Amino acid sequence: MTRVAIVGAGPGGLVAARYLRSEGLTPVVFDKSPLCGGQWTGLSGSSGVWPSMRTNTSRVLTQFSDLPHRPDVALYPSADQIRAYLLRYRQDFLPGLPMHTDATVHEIEAVPGGWAVRHDRGEEVFEKVVIATGRFQHPEVPDVPGLKTFSGRMGIAHSSAYRGTRRHRNGHFLVAGCAISALEVASELCMSGARRVVVCYRRQRYVLPKLKAGVPTDHLLFTREQAEAEDALPRGEFGARLKALVLASGGSPEQYGLPRPADDIFEAGLTLSQHYLPLVAEGRIQVRPWIDRIEGTEVRFRDGRAECFDGIYFGTGFALHLPFLAPSVRATLNLGPQRIDLFRHTFHPQLPGLAFMGLWDQSGPYFPPLELQARWIAYTWSGAIAPPTADEMEEGLAACRARGDAPPKTRMNLVALDFARAAGVEPDPKRWPGLARALWSGPLAPVSFRLEGRDALPDAAARFAAEVPELVEH
């Protein structure tokens, strides 16, 4: 039996274990946290999830194909609901799985016979290793002049350290950044009793609400149709198409009193928030340009205005952080704060037996591509499908290197379809006439990738139809 170490017990690690086991390999999971669930444990120090947090991805796209959510789960589930879901997934599909929690992995190094995994409890050699520690583990706070002098009573923290609003009531807060976490923290502070909330950022992004006429916008944005258009159309033409969808869903920021973003949506960027734009329009959130400098409790902005704050949250992203990889492995991967050179985000030809899960930076739900990536890894390592050739991997690595040290975000639909094609499980809409419209312009639900190929499910068509009834043709 081939033993596989999996580093990380979050969604990526669990779904990797499930498919590796089903393919006859023997997974053993390590996680530094005392609980499984990764970010969704909500544990301070190892999770950026706060108690009142809701997913920014819809229920259909925040699940795995084997386990639908229970009927009472919200359209945008709570943190508690996702935590319970992952525990149920482990109980249903991974009974008896060897799992070492509270076990920090200190080093992974190539040795004769495989990979040495050195952890709190000793050293073991595994034939193969999957790195599933997640993309959002190492917060980045930019270097701002005077940052260390800030003396507000609530201090400075990254948005990943935010833990709810009770202690923030009646406070005066600055939130720096325009990504999802920044806008969600700012919105919650505003709606939960903070006296004043100011948001600052370097450029104005377009902002997409979670819902358009009751339909989750991730069902509209991350489709096969959009992926094919992005592949086929010139960049500017696809950008105009994407921008039109965003504007039809929630309008443009300047309509709410914000600065006008760049006309090119790729230059401006896109983020997601249901409440942010209306709160700005109501005057409940104020917006400033980026920070010029900080002196004590005072923050001076680049437009010359200044204000005093009780606390500052930085929603400014995360860096890749894999310190447990041996130096030679990190060098081979050209590992940097925002880059890792891999073929299809997964393999490297000079590191056989090592695979990486979920380390790309994307817009959109992670659960569907994580499951597809896990299936591809498991099918490849079990011999069920042919591995990529050396030429294929070298060509993929060359494209990866060309993206440089700060590659742009990709979109979930592109990544999911890439993994589905690699694993041989992309459904052909022509074979499913009643579902053709749903497969083309509907959400890339995980169960839709159980219609064909290895691990096809007899009830997949009925389950997919139930998830998108408005797109099913009878």
Side-chain angles (χ1 to χ4, degrees), residues 257-456:
L258 287 163
R260 181 183 178 90
D263 287 338
D264 183 338
I265 195 169
F266 298 123
E267 179 186 343
L270 176 64
T271 194
L272 181 81
S273 179
Q274 183 67 18
H275 304 295
Y276 176 71
L277 292 178
L279 290 170
V280 171
E282 292 170 1
R284 297 169 66 188
I285 290 178
Q286 304 299 314
V287 178
R288 300 284 183 266
W290 191 246
I291 302 165
D292 180 62
R293 66 183 183 275
I294 297 172
E295 296 175 0
T297 61
E298 184 183 80
V299 177
R300 185 166 296 276
F301 301 99
R302 289 182 177 174
D303 63 358
R305 287 183 286 184
E307 253 184 272
C308 292
F309 294 94
D310 297 314
I312 303 175
Y313 281 102
F314 282 90
T316 44
F318 297 81
L320 279 168
H321 189 60
L322 303 171
F324 51 82
L325 294 178
S328 60
V329 176
R330 296 202 299 270
T332 299
L333 295 167
N334 284 325
L335 189 64
Q338 301 298 329
R339 78 173 289 169
I340 181 170
D341 291 353
L342 292 167
F343 171 69
R344 278 179 160 157
H345 308 292
T346 309
F347 299 121
H348 194 289
Q350 296 174 35
L351 302 170
L354 189 62
F356 295 81
M357 285 278 298
L359 295 187
W360 65 92
D361 192 11
Q362 74 168 28
S363 297
Y366 270 88
F367 275 59
L370 282 176
E371 178 170 323
L372 290 164
Q373 187 182 30
R375 292 172 71 183
W376 179 40
I377 293 169
Y379 298 164
T380 300
W381 281 354
S382 72
I385 63 174
T389 66
D391 286 346
E392 286 173 334
M393 285 205 276
E394 287 299 337
E395 183 179 349
L397 280 178
C400 185
R401 294 185 189 108
R403 291 193 286 269
D405 288 336
K409 280 180 179 281
T410 185
R411 274 166 285 286
M412 166 266 186
N413 48 344
L414 299 178
V415 182
L417 289 170
D418 194 31
F419 290 147
R421 290 161 186 165
V425 297
E426 181 187 14
D428 180 357
K430 295 177 183 176
R431 294 187 57 188
W432 304 92
L435 297 175
R437 183 177 167 220
L439 289 170
W440 177 248
S441 59
L444 294 179
V447 75
S448 72
F449 296 100
R450 303 295 293 273
L451 290 165
E452 299 177 23
R454 194 169 182 82
D455 285 317

Side-chain angles (χ1 to χ4, degrees), residues 107-374:
E107 188 174 45
I108 295 175
E109 183 179 26
V111 295
W115 295 88
V117 177
R118 301 177 183 117
H119 51 88
D120 286 339
R121 300 169 194 175
E123 176 180 324
E124 299 177 64
V125 175
F126 293 85
E127 288 94 329
K128 299 182 184 297
V129 174
V130 174
I131 307 299
T133 49
R135 179 67 179 74
F136 309 107
Q137 292 290 338
H138 194 68
E140 279 201 314
V141 173
D143 185 16
V144 173
L147 184 65
K148 292 181 180 178
T149 74
F150 183 72
S151 56
R153 63 184 177 84
M154 298 292 290
I156 292 169
H158 190 269
S159 59
S160 61
Y162 176 74
R163 283 297 177 271
T165 58
R166 182 177 302 174
R167 59 194 290 265
H168 298 78
R169 287 176 185 159
N170 298 315
H172 190 169
F173 292 95
L174 173 66
V175 181
C178 197
I180 292 174
S181 62
L183 302 193
E184 294 292 279
V185 167
S187 298
E188 181 164 312
L189 286 169
C190 176
M191 294 187 293
S192 302
R195 179 165 50 91
R196 183 170 172 81
V197 178
V198 177
V199 176
C200 71
Y201 34 75
R202 293 182 177 89
R203 73 180 189 278
Q204 178 63 57
R205 298 188 185 193
Y206 290 88
V207 181
L208 184 71
K210 289 183 178 180
L211 295 163
K212 178 188 178 185
V215 177
T217 48
D218 59 11
H219 290 203
L220 306 174
L221 195 64
F222 303 112
T223 65
R224 181 177 281 98
E225 180 181 16
Q226 291 288 343
E228 295 288 348
E230 187 164 358
D231 279 342
L233 296 176
R235 183 180 182 276
E237 188 175 342
F238 177 74
R241 172 183 173 138
L242 176 63
K243 179 179 168 182
L245 190 156
V246 172
L247 296 181
S249 299
S252 191
E254 71 271 15
Q255 296 173 273
Y256 296 81
L258 287 163
R260 181 183 178 90
D263 287 338
D264 183 338
I265 195 169
F266 298 123
E267 179 186 343
L270 176 64
T271 194
L272 181 81
S273 179
Q274 183 67 18
H275 304 295
Y276 176 71
L277 292 178
L279 290 170
V280 171
E282 292 170 1
R284 297 169 66 188
I285 290 178
Q286 304 299 314
V287 178
R288 300 284 183 266
W290 191 246
I291 302 165
D292 180 62
R293 66 183 183 275
I294 297 172
E295 296 175 0
T297 61
E298 184 183 80
V299 177
R300 185 166 296 276
F301 301 99
R302 289 182 177 174
D303 63 358
R305 287 183 286 184
E307 253 184 272
C308 292
F309 294 94
D310 297 314
I312 303 175
Y313 281 102
F314 282 90
T316 44
F318 297 81
L320 279 168
H321 189 60
L322 303 171
F324 51 82
L325 294 178
S328 60
V329 176
R330 296 202 299 270
T332 299
L333 295 167
N334 284 325
L335 189 64
Q338 301 298 329
R339 78 173 289 169
I340 181 170
D341 291 353
L342 292 167
F343 171 69
R344 278 179 160 157
H345 308 292
T346 309
F347 299 121
H348 194 289
Q350 296 174 35
L351 302 170
L354 189 62
F356 295 81
M357 285 278 298
L359 295 187
W360 65 92
D361 192 11
Q362 74 168 28
S363 297
Y366 270 88
F367 275 59
L370 282 176
E371 178 170 323
L372 290 164
Q373 187 182 30

